[in-house]
Amino acid sequence: MALETSPAAPAPVRQIANAIAGWVDRLGAVWVEGQVAQVSRRPGMGTVFMTLRDAVADISVPVTCSRVLFDGLNPPLVEGASVVIHAKPSYYANRGTLSLAAREIRMVGLGELLARLERRRQLLAAEGLFERQLKRPLPFLPTRVGLVTAPNSAAERDVLENARRRWPAVRFEVAYAAMQGTRACAEVMEALDRLDRHPEVDVIVVARGGGSVEDLLPFSDEALVRAVAATRTPVVSAIGHEPDQPLLDLVADVRASTPTDAAKLVVPDVADELRGVAAARDRLRSVLAGWIAREQAGLDALRSRPALADPRSLVDARVAEVEQLRDRARRTLGHRLDRAADDIGHQRARARALSPLATLERGYAVLQDADGHVVTSVTALATGAPVSVRVADGRVHATTTGVEADPLETTGGTDG
């Protein structure tokens, strides 16, 4: 039933929105065919959001489904799959948006194909063929690059021209094979085996231009995936364009988004390497020049020291010190000798003063009997006894004519 409106009596926005919501709600559940363009699974939410795109026209509509329905799909739903959805259309008046609430999802056509590929991917991943630790590094500068591609293809030209532009001396070993169709898988495996046994091939590139999912099916073949995993030579996968991702991309050691990108990965850029060598050489020169300058400054500092500027200065200083020490020793020894001589003179004078000879020199004499005994009393001699008189400069031999005691000494002795 159409709404009756006029410029004088327009309908408010809410009325129009609610009317649209009512008309959409009366549409009921419908079966819709399209291609899944986007899948969003937000953590902690029980609803999965998708975008369903028309296969012909540039039209898309949001789709929601429960996580239980999404997780229960076997094979899992992937982006790009063609599906048929049984859904209830809903119009949200507050936001003015239309969406489909999916109740059932079925794979059809290409969707079934993508589902089979997803199951194969899961099985091979469970075996560990895609593990990161199995990936081998590419050589920095390969002796020879193996290339598996179709003869006279754009992919071959891209790889050869871009690689030679980057490194003109690069050498290729090209093994041609069909890159689509029923013979593609077997021929690519044969070319891989031939290049893997080549003694000079250090890296193998499998290159093909873009194409439909069906065209790229050979590069998701299980036999080919296992053959790449078994090669001893690192393999670069350059199949299709950036959005394409056959299983070969997952098992290869390196994935290139395009054949041109593969050429950039397998050989370095000679201009970049020359700039790097020049920069390294400049840094080395700078470091070496700085080291030489520091060492030269150290040598100059050493040479500027007095000891090295005039080596004789140290000897002259030591000679002067030796002469000073020698003069000091001589003075000290002379002083000590002088004091010793004075002490000897004093001791000699004292000895002389106490010597009997000095007493004799003052006029005294020593009287001795014939036996050499000093006579200290007249009683020790008799008249006519030989005696010897010791004077300062000799002896006088005589004979006593008589003895006489000193009266004073006798008196004193009696008094005592």
Side-chain angles (χ1 to χ4, degrees):
M1 179 178 178
L3 293 176
E4 294 183 2
T5 61
S6 67
V13 173
R14 62 181 179 276
Q15 183 179 0
I16 299 299
N18 290 331
I20 295 174
W23 294 333
V24 171
D25 189 62
R26 287 194 296 272
L27 181 63
V30 294
W31 287 95
V32 183
E33 181 180 3
Q35 185 178 24
V36 177
Q38 184 178 1
V39 178
S40 175
R41 300 181 60 181
R42 300 174 184 175
M45 293 190 64
T47 302
V48 178
F49 299 88
M50 298 178 290
T51 299
L52 190 64
R53 183 175 57 192
D54 189 88
V56 178
D58 187 14
I59 300 175
S60 61
V61 62
V63 178
T64 61
C65 72
S66 68
R67 184 177 292 270
V68 175
L69 173 61
F70 186 87
D71 293 341
L73 295 175
N74 187 17
L77 184 63
V78 296
E79 294 182 4
S82 294
V83 295
V84 171
I85 297 178
H86 188 231
K88 176 69 170 63
S90 298
Y91 181 78
Y92 295 92
N94 293 339
R95 290 179 294 176
T97 58
L98 176 70
S99 67
L100 301 176
R103 299 176 178 179
E104 185 179 352
I105 301 177
R106 298 179 184 180
M107 303 289 182
V108 296
L110 183 59
E112 293 180 359
L113 178 60
L114 294 175
R116 289 199 302 270
L117 293 180
E118 177 61 20
R119 281 197 299 268
R120 184 178 301 167
R121 186 196 67 79
Q122 292 178 353
L123 290 174
L124 296 176
E127 294 184 24
L129 268 63
F130 307 149
E131 294 295 331
R132 182 176 297 274
Q133 56 266 28
L134 298 179
K135 308 300 183 184
R136 292 157 294 191
L138 301 184
F140 170 71
L141 186 60
T143 304
R144 191 182 292 268
V145 178
L147 176 61
V148 180
T149 188
N152 301 320
S153 62
E156 179 185 13
R157 291 193 302 272
D158 287 346
V159 174
L160 296 180
E161 291 177 3
N162 284 281
R164 286 167 179 162
R165 188 178 300 117
R166 290 172 60 84
W167 195 269
V170 63
R171 295 188 299 167
F172 277 92
E173 184 71 25
V174 182
Y176 293 115
M179 302 305 283
Q180 71 180 57
T182 57
R183 297 182 297 106
C185 182
E187 292 188 12
V188 170
M189 291 172 57
E190 181 183 354
L192 274 173
D193 181 65
R194 184 165 68 253
L195 294 177
D196 191 36
R197 288 185 284 105
H198 197 292
E200 292 186 354
V201 172
D202 295 329
V203 62
I204 301 174
V205 178
V206 182
R208 185 199 189 283
S212 65
V213 175
E214 291 83 355
D215 293 337
L216 302 182
L217 275 180
F219 302 99
S220 293
D221 187 88
E222 182 176 354
L224 177 59
V225 170
R226 294 187 182 277
V228 172
T231 59
R232 299 184 303 272
T233 309
V235 176
V236 177
S237 174
I239 304 300
H241 302 298
E242 180 65 32
D244 301 321
Q245 192 175 30
L247 298 185
L248 180 63
D249 287 351
L250 302 178
V251 73
D253 298 286
V254 176
R255 175 185 181 266
S257 58
T258 61
T260 301
D261 185 45
K264 297 178 181 179
L265 293 173
V266 295
V267 292
D269 189 347
V270 65
D272 291 341
E273 298 305 319
L274 288 175
R275 284 192 294 268
V277 169
R281 182 177 57 199
D282 293 340
R283 288 196 301 270
L284 182 60
R285 285 176 175 172
S286 177
V287 171
L288 184 59
W291 179 76
I292 293 176
R294 289 192 299 272
E295 295 301 319
Q296 184 63 50
L299 288 175
D300 294 342
L302 290 175
R303 293 175 60 186
S304 64
R305 295 180 180 178
L308 293 180
D310 184 9
R312 289 184 54 85
S313 61
L314 289 177
V315 178
D316 294 341
R318 299 292 86 78
V319 168
E321 291 180 2
V322 170
E323 291 178 351
Q324 292 175 1
L325 292 174
R326 183 183 60 192
D327 294 341
R328 187 184 305 170
R330 286 176 177 176
R331 289 194 301 271
T332 301
L333 181 60
H335 294 161
R336 290 188 177 182
L337 291 177
D338 292 342
R339 287 196 298 271
D342 293 342
D343 291 342
I344 291 174
H346 294 157
Q347 296 297 333
R348 182 173 57 192
R350 291 179 61 188
R352 286 179 178 177
L354 298 176
S355 172
L357 183 59
T359 303
L360 295 178
E361 288 179 349
R362 291 197 301 269
Y364 293 91
V366 178
L367 181 64
Q368 297 174 310
D369 59 13
D371 295 328
H373 297 129
V374 177
V375 178
T376 59
S377 175
V378 294
T379 60
L381 293 175
T383 302
V387 293
S388 174
V389 181
R390 179 72 168 87
V391 294
D393 56 352
R395 294 179 179 275
V396 176
H397 297 282
T399 303
T400 60
T401 57
V403 293
E404 181 180 356
D406 190 348
L408 296 177
E409 292 293 333
T410 301
T411 302
T414 303
D415 292 339

